Amino acid sequence: MTSVQVLLMIVNGLSCGLMCARMLGYRRNGARFSRSASLLAYLIIIASGTVAIRIAFGEYVIIDPAETLLNATLCIAVFRARGNVSHLFYGERSQ
């Protein structure tokens, strides 16, 4: 495995792990409940957490640069939305 592949694996694992942790730590604080946003958040948490765990245990062997870029971009967007999937995918709604 080359150093570029190792770097991509580290970036991919960190971005997926951070994204999963940020979304798990989200608190509504008076925001309205949305079943579709909750389902979407659940699926993203499961998918990103699975990728991070598989990388940590060495089960994830093929690292694609495009996938790493997508995961890093989504991780940045999740942190900018403070873990709120409604703001991330549906835009901010006035309350």
Side-chain angles (χ1 to χ4, degrees):
M1 187 175 283
T2 66
S3 60
V4 173
Q5 289 174 327
V6 171
L7 178 65
L8 287 174
M9 187 177 301
I10 290 170
V11 169
N12 199 13
L14 282 176
S15 62
C16 285
L18 288 171
M19 182 172 30
C20 179
R22 180 61 182 115
M23 291 182 73
L24 278 172
Y26 173 70
R27 294 183 187 258
R28 283 190 341 176
N29 291 334
R32 292 179 16 170
F33 174 77
S34 170
R35 188 173 307 274
S36 61
S38 297
L39 177 63
L40 189 56
Y42 175 75
L43 293 174
I44 292 171
I45 289 168
I46 296 298
S48 62
T50 301
V51 170
I53 289 170
R54 288 182 62 206
I55 288 174
F57 285 106
E59 293 290 319
Y60 207 82
V61 292
I62 299 174
I63 302 296
D64 185 27
E67 177 190 1
T68 302
L69 180 64
L70 282 171
N71 286 337
T73 304
L74 186 58
C75 180
I76 291 168
V78 164
F79 271 87
R80 287 186 55 104
R82 294 180 303 238
N84 189 343
V85 174
S86 279
H87 288 183
L88 185 65
F89 289 103
Y90 305 124
E92 284 199 47
R93 296 178 182 159
S94 59
Q95 294 180 350

